């Protein structure tokens, strides 16, 4: 006798095969069209191993819709382009700004904050591209 | 072709990932309980801080050079390690996770520009995870290990060392001491040196048959591997552990029974979680309790407890472990360490039972799976047996622990906007 162990499903999302109970009579017309439920991770994240979350702190990016306490989704694997919202290390301090490659500086999304020029002794390293920011409209669990 | 990718000063590098201000600065990571130094950044090594040194011995150096000191943060290291593996998978036909900071890769492209491939892998890991790695490539795992070592030591190689020609192989073997070879420990090294075999090169040219007779077939395989013949395959899925141990030192010495029982309960709980993860059941538990070996009246005892039936139920395992600890405990000692081992374990999927042998009730399975999913969602220890206690005075000292940046919503890196 051979024993075959039960294998674990690969996906963490449930696959609904039938949403309706099978009754004698007419089957649900929707049963042929069941697809996988939407997965927000899959929608937002292209490179899971290179994607990190961070918490925004401060008001310098208000005009770009990033508020204090927002969740930032950061992809390190992307090459940063002109105009991207990035996480940069400026002299070792992490900050969230808009990258201006043409004039070699970082811009804020708030007129009260002047651009940060990256010349001379200022060391700038782009740590990742902010691909999305998430704003909570209700207190979030966890 | 095999590549060994090895993370440089892994724990210290992990601490620098979300702290760019610490890159290029001396960083050390301490062992459980903050007792010893277990990892040093390149800069900390340069200051002459030795590995595995008790912290108090180098305290003056740490202060003087403003070394950044961290307690070990295993959730962070574990997450970053798995990210390194995932990043490397795209270049790999096969992969073996050899340890938390070492990965064997069998690359897709084994005939192209290997040096370029090595640099691509190294750069990808730095870009995606911010962990610096070294890459050694060769036709056997043993040679790849040596190549990796050379990649670290020879500055001009820029952390990538490919050994594909005979000249390169000879160069590598001639500069490697016998003890540097994977699988040749200090003891075997000593014996080989006694026979006049001092370098990897000498071993590769030694009389294989004679050495096999004197030592073992393992050494014969090592010699073959040094000669470029691959004998060791990649082990993709690590075999399930045959024993699971969870042991720790207490943060402060325990003289009373309650803290000892609580600690034992926690270790039993952790071991049970690991047991369920690998889908096994335990039949026999080993419990031990000891004082510091430096104490005048050193006390170390252990005992085993048989379970009523093979189980992975935390409640049963905790109760059994506590029964053991109670039996071992003695008044008048300052206990420093305890541990719980699940020593006789069986695969749950293959377990056959009949009507007459008692078995774990399905209700217990359901409860454990709920407990595991709650703890996975809200953090380890969200739900636990009352036996662990609430205030854990005996818990490990971890005074300098960094936030769990990638595994807890409350500890995400804060970015100034």
């Amino acid at each position: 006798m051979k024993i075959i162990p039960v294998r674990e499903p690969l996906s963490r999302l449930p696959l609904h095969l039938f949403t309706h109970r099978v009754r004698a009579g007419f089957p649900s017309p929707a049963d042929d069209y069941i697809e996988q439920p939407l997965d927000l991770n899959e929608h937002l994240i292209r490179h899971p191993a290179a994607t990190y979350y961070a918490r925004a702190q401060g008001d310098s990016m208000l005009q770009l819709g990033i508020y204090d306490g927002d969740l930032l989704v950061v992809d390190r694997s992307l090459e940063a382009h002109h105009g991207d919202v990035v996480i940069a290390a400026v002299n070792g301090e992490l900050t969230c700004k808009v990258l201006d490659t043409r004039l070699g500086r970082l811009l804020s999304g708030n007129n009260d904050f002047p651009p940060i020029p990256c010349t001379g002794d200022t060391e700038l390293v782009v740590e990742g591209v902010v691909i999305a920011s998430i704003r909570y409209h209700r207190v979030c669990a966890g | 072709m095999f590549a060994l990718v090895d993370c440089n000063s892994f724990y210290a590098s992990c601490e620098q990932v979300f702290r760019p201000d610490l890159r290029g600065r001396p960083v050390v990571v301490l062992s459980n309980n903050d007792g010893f130094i277990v990892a040093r950044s390149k800069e900390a090594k340069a200051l002459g801080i030795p590995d595995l040194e008790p912290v108090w011995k180098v305290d003056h150096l740490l202060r003087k050079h403003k070394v950044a000191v961290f307690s070990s943060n295993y959730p962070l290291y574990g997450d970053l390690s798995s990210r390194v593996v995932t990043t490397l998978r795209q270049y790999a036909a096969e992969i073996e996770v050899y340890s938390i900071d070492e990965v064997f890769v069998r690359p897709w492209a084994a005939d192209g520009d290997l040096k370029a491939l090595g640099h691509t892998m190294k750069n990808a890991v730095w870009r995606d995870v911010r962990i610096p790695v070294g890459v050694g490539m060769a036709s056997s795992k043993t040679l790849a290990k040596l190549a990796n070592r050379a990649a670290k030591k020879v500055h001009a190689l820029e952390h990538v060392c490919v050994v594909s020609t005979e000249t390169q192989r000879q160069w590598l073997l001639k500069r490697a001491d016998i003890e540097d070879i994977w699988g040749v420990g200090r003891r075997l090294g000593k014996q080989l040196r006694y026979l006049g075999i001092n370098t990897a090169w000498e071993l590769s040219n030694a009389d294989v048959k004679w050495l096999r007779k004197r030592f073992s077939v393992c050494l014969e395989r090592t010699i073959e591997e040094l000669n470029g013949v691959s004998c060791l395959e990649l082990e993709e899925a690590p075999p399930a552990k045959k024993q699971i141990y969870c042991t720790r030192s207490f943060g402060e010495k325990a003289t009373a029974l309650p803290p000892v029982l609580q600690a034992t309960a926690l270790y039993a709980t952790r071991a049970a979680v690991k047991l369920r993860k690998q889908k096994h059941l335990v039949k026999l538990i080993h419990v031990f309790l000891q004082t510091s070996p430096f104490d005048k009246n050193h006390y170390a005892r252990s005992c085993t407890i048989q379970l009523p039936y093979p189980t992975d139920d935390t409640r049963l395992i905790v109760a059994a472990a506590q029964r053991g600890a109670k039996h071992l405990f003695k008044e008048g000692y300052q206990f420093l360490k305890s541990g719980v081992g699940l020593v006789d374990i069986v695969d749950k999927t293959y377990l056959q039972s009949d009507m007459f042998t008692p078995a774990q009730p399905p209700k217990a399975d359901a409860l454990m799976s709920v407990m595991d999913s709650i703890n996975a969602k809200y953090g380890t220890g969200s739900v636990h047996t009352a036996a662990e206690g609430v205030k854990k005075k005996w818990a490990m000292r971890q005074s300098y622990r960094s936030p769990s940046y990638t595994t807890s919503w409350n500890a995400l890196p804060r970015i100034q906007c």
Side-chain angles (χ1 to χ4, degrees), chain B residues 250-315:
Chain B
F250 304 142
E252 57 184 62
K253 288 179 183 168
T255 49
L257 182 60
V260 168
L261 287 182
Q262 288 180 8
T264 308
L266 175 68
Y267 305 155
T269 303
R270 294 221 175 120
V273 170
K274 287 185 191 165
L275 182 73
R276 290 196 291 275
K277 238 182 212 163
Q278 68 174 48
K279 301 206 174 11
H280 278 58
L281 301 172
V282 63
K283 295 199 276 191
L284 192 69
I285 295 181
H286 178 218
V287 181
F288 70 85
L289 183 63
Q290 62 188 59
T291 62
S292 161
F294 303 111
D295 275 3
K296 261 190 214 140
N297 47 352
H298 178 52
Y299 174 99
R301 289 281 167 80
S302 71
C303 64
T304 54
I305 302 108
Q306 187 84 41
L307 288 155
Y309 45 81
T311 182
D312 61 4
D313 186 336
T314 297
R315 295 168 301 172

Side-chain angles (χ1 to χ4, degrees), chain A residues 3 5 48-60 71 76-77 87 89 92 94-96 126-127 142, chain B residues 17-21 23 80 83 86-87 127-130 279 349-350 352 405-406 409-410 412-417:
Chain A
I3 302 163
T51 301
Y52 300 82
Y53 301 111
R55 194 68 72 191
Q57 203 165 39
D59 305 324
S60 80
L71 182 74
R76 284 197 200 273
S77 70
I87 305 292
L94 291 173
T95 178
C96 174
V126 174
E127 289 290 316
Chain B
V17 167
F18 294 98
R19 291 286 306 273
D21 57 310
R23 289 182 200 148
L80 293 175
R83 285 168 185 263
T86 311
T87 304
R127 187 192 62 211
D128 289 6
V129 199
R130 286 290 193 268
K279 301 206 174 11
T349 18
Y350 292 107
Q352 295 195 19
Y405 295 112
T406 56
W409 289 112
N410 301 322
L412 299 182
R414 298 188 167 272
I415 310 288
Q416 205 58 48
C417 285

